[in-house]
Amino acid sequence: MPDKDAGTPRVFLYRHGQTEWSQNGRYTGKTELELTKNGENQVSASGKIIVGSGKLIDPANLAHVYTSPRRRAVQTFEIAFSEADRQALHDAKKVSLTERLAEWDYGQYEGLVTKEIRALRKDHGLDAERPWDIWRDGCEGGESSQQVSDRIDDLIQEIRAIHKGNMRGENPCDIVLVAHGHLLRAFTKRWLGYPLEFPLSLMLEPGAVGVLSYQHHNIDEPAMLVGYGFPVQE
């Protein structure tokens, strides 16, 4: 972060590592899956580089870690953070499981890939004029984009309450969100004030970390950090 923005609180978006279904492109909402071995390695690699004392995600600078209750997200938190850091965060009551970070409820589309979903919707007489877009159309028997947006907005309001009054580093206020691909991309759109159907193409690989913050130490200027300078290692 540039010197002029030093101390501004950040929100780290930590996507869980690979699962069998994410590897195959299958939509995974409520289904409980373990990380693959490769998924564990993805999280371990990113965790070693960016999580720890003096690193990008420094537990000493965290106000809270919010985690999706799905097992793949919890497992990611357990791998990325050392046992000692996890214990210290738990002891300080800085870790929460929250359904607000659960992956999109895909309803009838759970376990399907995109082409199968579009074929199913065609059988149901939908999308005659344009192809299905989850950001606009939601999921049959699952969540609409408005429902996802509402629960994300509730969490953003909670995070902004933590950040307000600490925009110049007055207190440790970084936040970590450990969750899922669609959910974290939806969170980014809402953080920036866009509706979910806004055509902002975002990518977040399994085990990867994104960063959100604010411009000009101003809570009314939420921003996305598209490039980040890592802390200097002594």
Side-chain angles (χ1 to χ4, degrees), residues 118-129 140:
R118 287 181 170 161
L120 178 66
R121 289 176 64 88
K122 183 177 180 180
D123 289 344
H124 294 172
L126 300 172
D127 309 327
E129 297 182 358
E140 294 177 272

Side-chain angles (χ1 to χ4, degrees), residues 86-187:
R86 294 198 312 272
Q87 188 61 56
L89 289 166
H90 278 292
D91 289 346
K93 301 187 185 305
K94 290 185 176 182
V95 180
S96 298
L97 297 182
T98 175
E99 285 287 344
R100 292 172 295 181
L101 284 179
E103 183 58 292
W104 203 306
D105 181 350
Y106 297 124
Q108 295 181 33
Y109 309 154
E110 183 80 1
L112 303 181
V113 298
T114 299
K115 66 179 182 179
E116 293 172 333
I117 294 170
R118 287 181 170 161
L120 178 66
R121 289 176 64 88
K122 183 177 180 180
D123 289 344
H124 294 172
L126 300 172
D127 309 327
E129 297 182 358
R130 56 189 181 184
W132 172 70
D133 180 352
I134 190 171
W135 306 106
R136 179 189 63 234
D137 303 320
C139 301
E140 294 177 272
E143 286 184 294
S144 67
S145 60
Q146 187 61 57
Q147 288 172 313
V148 174
S149 184
D150 287 346
R151 59 183 170 96
I152 289 173
D153 287 352
D154 184 73
L155 180 55
I156 289 175
Q157 184 177 12
E158 186 172 312
I159 292 171
R160 297 243 166 98
I162 295 171
H163 286 167
K164 189 175 183 179
N166 296 288
M167 297 301 291
R168 294 182 179 272
E170 290 85 349
N171 294 291
C173 274
D174 287 344
I175 300 288
V176 175
L177 308 181
V178 187
H180 312 270
H182 265 130
L183 193 284
L184 290 175
R185 285 179 285 157
F187 186 96

